[in-house]
Amino acid sequence: MSDSTMHDAGPKGVSRRRFITGTGSILGAVALAGHSTPAQAGVGSAAAPIDSGAHVPALVIGTGYGGSVAALRLAQSGVDVHMIEMGMAWDTAGPDGKIFASTTSPDSRSYWLRTRTKQPLSNFLGFPIDKDVTRSTGILDAEEFSGITVYQGRGVGGGSLVNGGMAVTPKRENFGAVLPSVDADEMYGIYYPRANAGLGVGTIDPAWFETAACYQYARVGRKHAQRAGFPFVFVPTVYDWDYMKQEEAGTVPRSALAGEILYGNNYGKKSLQKTYIDRVRATGRVVISPLHKVTSVAPATGGGYTVVIDQLDTGGATTATKTVIADRVFFAAGSVGTSKLLVKLKATGALPGLNNEIGKGWGDNGNVMCGRANHLWDPTGSLQASIPTGGIDNWAAGGAFAEVAPLPTGIETFASFYLSITKNPNRAEFAWNAATGKVDLNWQTAWKQPSIDAARTIFDRINQKEGTIYRTDLFGTYKIWGDHLTYHPLGGAVLNRATDNYGRLHGYSGLYVIDGSLIPGNTSVNPFVTITALAERNIEKIIATDL
Ligand code: FAE
C-alpha cells in the first residue's frame, strides 16, 4: 500500500488512479494463529454475561477499536477473553423495527443518560434544535468537561457505532509527529495495511461520485477548494459503496442517505460489529458483557488483578456489583474512559505505582467546525450522504485538514459544512477531584484559537475567492466556530511515557493500554485507522513476548 491514503483530485474530475486504496490486501489476512481448541462455543453478547467470582485469563475493558483488536488477536492465539462494555449490545431492533434511531427523530436510543439531545450542531437559522428524549443508556455520549464536550460512542463497537466512517491513514511525512517512538517502516509496511484490511476500508467509485446527487455537496466543496488553490483529497471509508449506490437507486432501505450517522447506522456502514467483532465472535473464545462498567482494577493477593464491575440497567442504575480476577487487563475504554479509570485508580490507592504521566498529554485532534453560506447558484443538494468522502488538505502550509462534511437536513441549505482537524499544540490533563469523586479535565475553550486560526487559512481564502461569508447560525446566534467540542479525544496514557513503547503500563506487569489514550493528542487526520494499526502492532508484540 502507498504510504498515504490521501491524494489530490485533479482540477477537472477525478481519475481512479488518484484514489488511494486504503486497503492493504496482502498482509490484511495475516492473523496470529490459534493454537488450541476453543474453550467455549457460540459465545458473544447473547451468551450469559460474566459471573461474579470468575477467574479469567484476559479481561478487555471496552469494545471499540483497541479492544476489538486485542480480543481478536488474543483469542486467535488461544487465550480466552472477556470483554466488558458499559454500553448496550445494539443487536436488537426497537419498536420501529430498526436497531438504531433515526437522525431526525432522536429517542431513548440516541443519547447516553440524557433527558435532552445535545447535537453537535446546536442551532439552525439561529434557532436551537435540541429535543427532549427519554433518559437511557443510548448510543452517543456527549460527555461534558470544563471547556469541551467530548462525543463518544457507547455500546459493543465503541466509536465505530456513531462515527463518520472516514478511514484515513496519515501521510507518512506526518507520522513522526503522531507517534515519535514507533518505527514508521513497520507501521506503513505491516500494521496500517493490516488495520485497513481488518476494518474493510474501501473507496468510492470515482465515476459515481461525479454524478451522485447525494455528493453534490462534496463536489461543490471540491470546486471551491480548487478555485482557491487548495488540493481536494479523497479519503477512504468503511461504508459499503455498493450498498450506497443501491440506496441512491432506491432499491434498498436507506441509511447513509437517510442521514444516519450520530445515532448509529442501520445498514451500510461497516462498524466493528461487522468486521473485527464478527471475527472475535467466530473464535468462540470471547465472552462480551454489555451494560457492564469497570470501576476498579487492583492487584489481587494471589497474583493477577481484582476487577470490580457494575452491571447496569438501561436507566443507568447499578443492578449488581461483580468482582472477578483477571490475569491480564487491557484498558481499551477509549481516551477518556481509560484516562479517567487510571487517574482515579492511581489517586485512590488501587494502583499507586502508576507513573506521573497518567492523565497527561490529552488533545482534541484539533477539531473545529464551521459552515459557509454559498451563493444561490451553488446549491449543495437536499439529499446528502452522511458519509464524508473528501477533504481539503492544507496541513503542511496552514496546519489544517478539513473534511467536507454533510449537512443532511433534507432541505436545500446553500451551506457548505466542514470539520477541520488542525495542528493544535495545546494539551490538557485529567486529574482526580477528591471533593466531587470525579475526574476533571483542564481543557479551556480558548485553547481552540490555534485551531480556528489554522482553519481560517483555508476558509478565509475560499470566502474571499467566492465572495461568500461564514454561516453564523449553526452553533448559536452569530457564532461562526464550533469550538466547544471534539469527536476525536486522544491521549491521557501516552505511549512510551505512561506505558512502555508497546502499551505496557509502568509499575504493573499484566496491565496494558491499547486504545486512543496512547496517542499524544493529534493524528493529523481522523484517528481510528491509527488507533487500530497501533493496537495491531502492540498486541502482536505482547502476545509474542508476554504470554
Ligand atoms: P472507543 O471506540 O471510544 O471505545 C471505548 C469503549 O469503551 C466504548 O464502547 C465505551 O462505552 C467503553 N467504556 C468506556 N469506559 C468503560 C468502562 N469503565 N467499563 C466498560 N466499558 C467502558 O475507543 N474517527 C475516524 O477515524 N473517522 C471518522 O469519520 C470519525 N468520525 C467520528 C464521528 C463521531 C460523532 C465520533 C463521536 C467519533 C468519530 N471518530 C472518527 C473518532 C473514533 O470513533 C474514535 O477515535 C475511536 O472510536 C476511538 O477508539 P478507541 O478504541 O480508543
Side-chain angles (χ1 to χ4, degrees):
M1 159 180 155
S2 156
D3 64 0
S4 167
T5 55
M6 307 195 305
H7 264 210
D8 296 0
K12 289 187 183 142
V14 186
S15 71
R16 183 175 284 278
R17 170 177 66 80
R18 290 183 176 225
F19 280 80
I20 296 296
T21 59
T23 309
S25 51
I26 310 164
L27 288 157
V30 173
L32 300 159
H35 299 304
S36 56
T37 315
Q40 308 160 63
V43 291
S45 63
I50 196 162
D51 285 325
S52 199
H55 184 154
V56 305
L59 184 137
V60 177
I61 309 172
T63 57
Y65 293 92
S68 300
V69 170
L72 177 64
R73 301 312 180 191
L74 287 165
Q76 287 177 333
S77 70
V79 178
D80 290 336
V81 181
H82 285 249
M83 299 180 84
I84 309 298
E85 170 54 55
M86 68 192 268
M88 303 206 293
W90 300 110
D91 57 3
T92 311
D96 58 359
K98 295 193 173 179
I99 292 178
F100 304 111
S102 99
T103 316
T104 46
S105 318
D107 60 26
S108 61
R109 289 169 288 184
S110 305
Y111 281 85
W112 180 258
L113 302 177
R114 276 185 176 272
T115 53
R116 196 162 169 79
T117 65
K118 190 170 174 70
Q119 309 218 38
L121 252 85
S122 55
N123 293 57
F124 193 63
L125 302 174
F127 294 103
I129 54 175
D130 281 312
K131 298 175 181 168
D132 290 341
V133 285
T134 305
R135 187 176 184 276
S136 181
T137 48
I139 200 161
L140 183 65
D141 195 352
E143 191 170 359
E144 291 176 89
F145 292 97
S146 78
I148 195 161
T149 301
V150 184
Y151 285 87
Q152 296 152 88
R154 294 274 173 253
V156 175
S160 79
L161 296 165
V162 300
N163 68 31
M166 291 180 80
V168 194
T169 300
K171 280 184 172 169
R172 183 158 175 167
E173 64 256 35
N174 297 330
F175 183 78
V178 176
L179 287 165
S181 64
V182 173
D183 181 341
D185 286 344
E186 275 185 11
M187 287 296 280
Y188 286 86
I190 301 170
Y191 302 109
Y192 274 120
R194 188 176 295 173
N196 277 294
L199 294 165
V201 175
T203 50
I204 191 171
D205 169 355
W208 186 72
F209 173 80
E210 294 302 335
T211 56
C214 61
Y215 280 113
Q216 186 177 333
Y217 75 93
R219 294 193 297 274
V220 169
R222 177 180 64 186
K223 181 175 73 180
H224 291 171
Q226 292 179 339
R227 287 209 292 227
F230 295 112
F232 179 86
V233 297
F234 283 87
V235 293
T237 79
V238 292
Y239 208 79
D240 178 338
W241 288 107
D242 288 335
Y243 192 87
M244 178 109 60
K245 283 182 179 175
Q246 295 172 58
E247 286 184 48
E248 178 146 290
T251 54
V252 294
R254 288 180 161 181
S255 51
L257 269 53
E260 291 179 353
I261 176 166
L262 286 178
Y263 310 142
N265 181 291
N266 280 295
Y267 303 106
K269 195 174 83 182
K270 290 177 274 180
S271 69
L272 287 169
Q273 290 182 328
K274 295 182 184 170
T275 57
Y276 274 95
I277 292 174
D278 192 46
R279 292 168 71 196
V280 159
R281 290 207 162 95
T283 66
R285 285 194 176 277
V286 184
V287 176
I288 304 175
S289 298
L291 286 174
H292 280 61
K293 180 176 180 178
V294 171
T295 60
S296 181
V297 177
T301 341
Y305 293 89
T306 303
V307 182
V308 183
I309 306 167
D310 282 346
Q311 183 167 5
L312 309 177
D313 65 20
T314 54
T318 300
T319 56
T321 296
K322 302 178 177 180
T323 302
V324 306
I325 303 287
D327 297 336
R328 291 165 202 284
V329 178
F330 292 82
F331 288 82
S335 163
V336 173
T338 291
S339 303
K340 284 198 308 187
L341 263 176
L342 292 175
V343 163
K344 179 181 101 171
L345 298 176
K346 178 172 165 60
T348 57
L351 295 174
L354 294 172
N355 75 13
N356 289 330
E357 292 291 332
I358 295 296
K360 293 184 179 161
W362 186 86
D364 66 342
N365 210 24
N367 281 190
V368 66
M369 292 177 175
C370 68
R372 292 179 37 255
N374 292 319
H375 294 295
L376 293 184
W377 57 82
D378 260 343
T380 47
S382 55
L383 177 67
Q384 302 198 359
S386 63
I387 303 295
T389 194
I392 304 167
D393 184 11
N394 194 35
W395 190 263
F401 170 69
E403 286 174 15
V404 177
L407 204 54
T409 57
I411 55 168
E412 177 57 57
T413 62
F414 298 98
S416 286
F417 183 55
Y418 308 92
L419 168 63
S420 298
I421 294 164
T422 63
K423 208 184 272 180
N424 186 323
N426 290 312
R427 295 292 177 267
E429 187 176 339
F430 291 94
W432 176 244
N433 183 333
T436 59
K438 288 188 174 151
V439 175
D440 297 334
L441 178 68
N442 68 350
W443 183 268
Q444 297 171 29
T445 309
W447 290 1
K448 289 274 196 186
Q449 194 58 45
S451 296
I452 294 173
D453 295 343
R456 288 184 64 159
T457 66
I458 298 176
F459 302 114
D460 280 4
R461 186 163 6 141
I462 291 180
N463 278 337
Q464 193 187 20
K465 190 80 186 164
E466 298 297 323
T468 50
I469 55 169
Y470 287 103
R471 294 280 292 226
T472 56
D473 63 320
L474 301 174
F475 304 104
T477 316
Y478 300 113
K479 182 165 165 50
I480 292 176
W481 298 99
D483 58 357
H484 58 297
L485 59 78
T486 186
Y487 287 172
H488 300 165
L490 294 167
V494 170
L495 189 80
N496 218 26
R497 290 193 231 155
T499 72
D500 77 353
N501 204 23
Y502 290 90
R504 301 177 182 101
L505 273 161
H506 289 303
Y508 296 93
S509 90
L511 292 190
Y512 308 88
V513 175
I514 191 148
D515 60 15
S517 44
L518 291 171
I519 298 174
N522 203 304
T523 52
S524 73
V525 292
N526 316 60
F528 74 62
V529 175
T530 297
I531 294 170
T532 306
L534 185 65
E536 288 281 18
R537 166 195 181 267
N538 292 354
I539 197 69
E540 187 172 73
K541 180 67 141 195
I542 289 163
I543 289 169
T545 55
D546 296 15
L547 296 181

